[in-house]
Amino acid sequence: MPAKASIAPSVQDHLKQLIREVPDFPKPGINFYDITTLLKDKDGFRETVDALQEHYRKTPIDVVVGIEARGYFFAPAMARALGAGFVPVRKPKKLPCLVKSVDYELEYGTDQLEIHADSIDPGQNVLIIDDVLATGGTASAVAKLVRMLDGRVAGLGFVIELAFLHGRRKLDGYDVFSLIQY
Ligand code: AMP
């Protein structure tokens, strides 16, 4: 399925202008999309949250889940905009109470993500937000965590989608939306 683009091309162009591409970071061969330059721009940040919110305007959302760390820049703003709660998914051993954990594959080895076991009620509609959809491994692990708590994944939203990595294939069956694609 091709990457979705339902926002005005002029807004997409503006957001692209605000995102800084950093070659060979954090290691050679990786082109890093630095969103700090977008976050500090008052119009760019507003346009980003507004355009994401617009996509979910007619979708009932109870909880927005943000993925550590850069998902936290957008998920709480989205929760506020949608009138939902915010739940953080964190790296291991950061959350103080009972957690559910999931392992997921990295380029080399595996990693873990955790969510508080009482953070989502069964049947709640959950929107998952992160800055970048790359291979889709992280987002599909978070969707698994939400399902472990019997939450309903109402959508996965990203500011940036690296379409050439086909991360959507790992998120088959979900509503996957991104504002800008490379
Ligand atoms: P993935 O699990 O491969 O979809 O990777 C997604 C996570 O890695 C996101 O949380 C992003 O913050 C980060 N990420 C992956 N690739 C990039 C990139 N080229 N530029 C910026 N962040 C990236």
Side-chain angles (χ1 to χ4, degrees), residues 12-146:
Q12 282 184 319
D13 287 347
H14 185 224
L15 298 185
K16 274 194 176 177
Q17 281 164 21
L18 292 171
I19 290 164
R20 178 162 56 188
E21 293 185 40
V22 186
D24 299 319
F25 182 87
K27 57 185 183 184
I30 303 284
N31 193 36
F32 188 83
Y33 292 88
D34 176 21
I35 42 107
T36 64
T37 40
L38 180 152
L39 289 165
K40 77 182 172 115
D41 185 281
K42 64 180 181 349
D43 295 324
F45 185 50
R46 179 178 37 74
E47 282 168 18
T48 302
V49 175
D50 285 356
L52 279 172
Q53 183 206 3
E54 178 61 24
H55 182 75
Y56 301 103
R57 206 164 43 90
K58 294 186 179 149
T59 310
I61 305 289
D62 302 303
V63 171
V64 179
V65 165
I67 306 177
E68 184 169 351
R70 287 184 293 273
Y72 296 172
F73 297 144
F74 302 101
M78 281 294 290
R80 175 70 180 87
L82 293 168
F86 166 70
V87 168
V89 160
R90 298 218 57 181
K91 304 271 166 67
K93 298 188 166 60
K94 302 279 188 187
L95 293 168
C97 295
L98 184 66
V99 295
K100 290 278 184 193
S101 306
V102 70
D103 291 311
Y104 67 106
E105 305 265 329
L106 293 175
E107 196 179 346
Y108 302 103
T110 62
D111 209 347
Q112 231 177 29
L113 287 170
E114 295 184 341
I115 194 168
H116 266 147
D118 62 358
S119 59
I120 294 169
D121 295 332
Q124 278 194 311
N125 294 305
V126 179
L127 171 62
I128 297 167
I129 293 284
D130 204 359
D131 64 335
V132 176
L133 172 61
T135 66
T138 309
S140 81
V142 174
K144 212 179 275 177
L145 279 178
V146 171

